[in-house]
Amino acid sequence: MEELIAGFVSSHITLDEADVSLIHPRYSQYKLKSIVSSQEKRRNQWLKEHKEKRFDHLNLQRGLFDGDNDFSMDVDGKKERHKKVYYSEYKGYLMLSEWLIAIPEDINKNWICKICPEGKRALVVATKGRTSAYGRNGASIFSSFPSWLPGGSKLANRGKTMLDTIFDQSNSTFYILDILQWSIETVGFEAEMRFYWMATKVTEEIPQIKDQCTTNKYKFVTLDHFPYSQLAEKMLVHPIFPGNSPRVDGILFFHREGCYVHTRSPLVTWLKPFMLPDILNIPVAPEYLLEKPPDYPNKMETEEVQNT
C-alpha cells in the first residue's frame, strides 16, 4: 500500500503552467516545448502505472466509503447552536484536470469528451437516507436534502451514491460529470466504463431523478460523453444547453483508460471553447469566439512570441 501511495505522489503534477486556474501556456509568454514534453511524459507514466498496478483505489479509499465521513466538533466543548466547526474528509476529493497542452497522438482513438456547463463543482454523497453536497474544499454546500439517488432519502435509503457534479443554481440542477460509487465503488473503473455505468444506472433505474419534486429537491442530469471525433460537429451548435442556460464553460477530455484519482490528472484535460480553433484546429460557433478575453493574444501573435 505504501508503494502505491508513493507512486501516486511521485507522478503528481509539478508544473504550475498546467493548472487550469492559470492562463493556458498557449497564450502566455512561455515557450511550450518543455511543458509539452512534461505532460506527455507524465501521461505515459500514468497509463503505464494504471496497466501495471491497476491503481487499487478500491482498497486505498475503502475507509472513505465505509460510513458517514463528515463530522462536527463543538467549539470550546460547548454545544452552542450555530457555532460548530465542520470538518470533512472530502476536502481535495474531486479529480482535477490540466490544460490540454500536449495533443495526444491517439486523441482520435482513445479520448472521450464532455461539454461542461458553468456552475459550482460539487461532490454529492447520498447515504443513510439523506443527500449532501460538498465543494472542492470539502465545505458543505447543502448539508441534507432528499433525492432519488440510492441512499438519498427515506424512500430510497438503501445503498450509497457518490457523484462528481456541477451545480447550476439558476436551474436547481446537478449535472453529473462522473461517478465514484453507485452501490458499488467505481473509482477503480476506467473512464469509459464509469460513464457507461453512470448513464445506464440513471436512465434505467431512476429516470425520475431528472424531475424536481418534494422527494427529489434538485434535478440530476447526466452530461453526455462522446468520442473526440464528434467534437467538431458538436461545437458548431450554439447553444448546447436549452436557452443557453447554463452557458458552456469548457470541454473536458478523458483518456478511456483513466481511473478516478483524487488529485490533478494528466489523463483529464481541459479547454475553453474559444481555444479550440487555435489549439486543435476545430471550428466553433461564432458565439464562442465572442467569449475570448480581450487580453488573450490571437494565434499569430502567440506564434510570434513562441518563435522568439
Side-chain angles (χ1 to χ4, degrees):
M1 184 63 66
E2 289 76 9
E3 181 183 354
L4 174 63
I5 297 174
F8 226 1
V9 174
S10 66
S11 59
H12 189 280
I13 177 173
T14 58
L15 285 177
D16 288 340
E17 287 86 350
D19 187 340
V20 295
S21 64
L22 306 175
I23 189 172
H24 192 290
R26 176 69 173 76
Y27 295 94
S28 72
Q29 302 299 312
Y30 296 101
K31 294 184 178 180
L32 291 181
K33 185 175 180 179
S34 62
I35 302 174
V36 169
S37 176
S38 172
Q39 189 174 60
E40 288 176 341
K41 182 178 179 180
R42 286 181 292 103
R43 185 182 292 148
N44 291 333
Q45 179 183 351
W46 278 52
L47 281 172
K48 182 179 179 181
E49 291 178 348
H50 277 237
K51 292 176 181 178
E52 291 179 351
K53 299 180 181 179
R54 300 293 181 182
F55 273 115
D56 192 6
H57 302 298
L58 302 183
N59 291 328
L60 185 63
Q61 301 295 343
R62 190 168 301 282
L64 195 62
F65 287 107
D66 283 343
D68 193 359
N69 297 282
D70 60 299
F71 58 94
S72 62
M73 180 178 292
D74 295 325
V75 179
D76 298 328
K78 299 178 181 179
K79 294 183 179 180
E80 297 184 41
R81 196 174 183 181
H82 307 305
K83 290 186 179 181
K84 290 185 177 181
V85 178
Y86 289 90
Y87 298 88
S88 176
E89 293 187 41
Y90 299 124
K91 180 179 180 180
Y93 195 67
L94 293 171
M95 180 164 62
L96 304 180
S97 62
E98 298 183 6
W99 283 119
L100 176 56
I101 303 170
I103 301 175
E105 293 182 359
D106 62 347
I107 193 168
N108 283 293
K109 179 181 178 182
N110 289 323
W111 289 77
I112 303 169
C113 301
K114 286 196 175 192
I115 299 174
C116 302
E118 291 182 343
K120 185 177 182 63
R121 191 83 176 274
L123 174 69
V124 174
V125 181
T127 184
K128 300 180 180 179
R130 67 168 188 160
T131 309
S132 304
Y134 303 87
R136 282 177 50 177
N137 61 357
S140 175
I141 301 175
F142 300 114
S143 59
S144 181
F145 62 92
S147 76
W148 280 113
L149 294 171
S153 68
K154 294 180 179 179
L155 298 177
N157 60 2
R158 301 181 65 180
K160 182 173 182 178
T161 308
M162 297 183 75
L163 301 175
D164 185 342
T165 72
I166 299 170
F167 180 65
D168 175 42
Q169 186 173 5
S170 64
N171 292 325
S172 298
T173 301
F174 284 97
Y175 290 92
I176 307 174
L177 181 63
D178 213 327
I179 182 171
L180 292 77
Q181 182 171 1
W182 190 292
S183 297
I184 66 170
E185 302 159 7
T186 58
V187 290
F189 291 8
E190 295 177 352
E192 191 167 29
M193 179 60 186
R194 293 199 311 276
F195 299 159
Y196 172 79
W197 182 276
M198 176 175 64
T200 301
K201 292 296 181 182
V202 172
T203 302
E204 296 182 359
E205 294 189 6
I206 47 171
Q208 68 271 28
I209 199 78
K210 295 183 293 185
D211 301 320
Q212 192 174 14
C213 60
T214 55
T215 53
N216 193 67
K217 187 173 182 179
Y218 300 102
K219 293 176 284 186
F220 286 83
V221 177
T222 56
L223 291 174
D224 293 336
H225 66 281
F226 51 89
Y228 173 80
S229 59
Q230 296 180 13
L231 180 60
E233 178 183 355
K234 292 184 178 295
M235 292 309 298
L236 290 175
V237 176
H238 185 279
I240 297 292
F241 300 98
N244 202 28
S245 178
R247 297 169 56 186
V248 171
D249 189 20
I251 300 92
L252 279 173
F253 303 81
F254 297 82
H255 193 283
R256 293 179 185 273
E257 298 178 3
C259 297
Y260 195 101
V261 297
H262 311 297
T263 184
R264 196 177 302 278
S265 171
L267 301 180
V268 183
T269 57
W270 169 263
L271 287 177
K272 290 285 191 176
F274 63 83
M275 296 177 176
L276 297 182
D278 285 356
I279 296 175
L280 294 174
N281 198 29
I282 289 179
V284 298
E287 291 84 352
Y288 294 121
L289 298 178
L290 298 176
E291 299 171 1
K292 185 174 182 177
D295 56 340
Y296 270 54
N298 60 38
K299 182 176 182 179
M300 184 175 297
E301 291 172 345
T302 304
E303 289 175 345
E304 290 175 354
V305 169
Q306 292 169 355
N307 291 330
T308 58

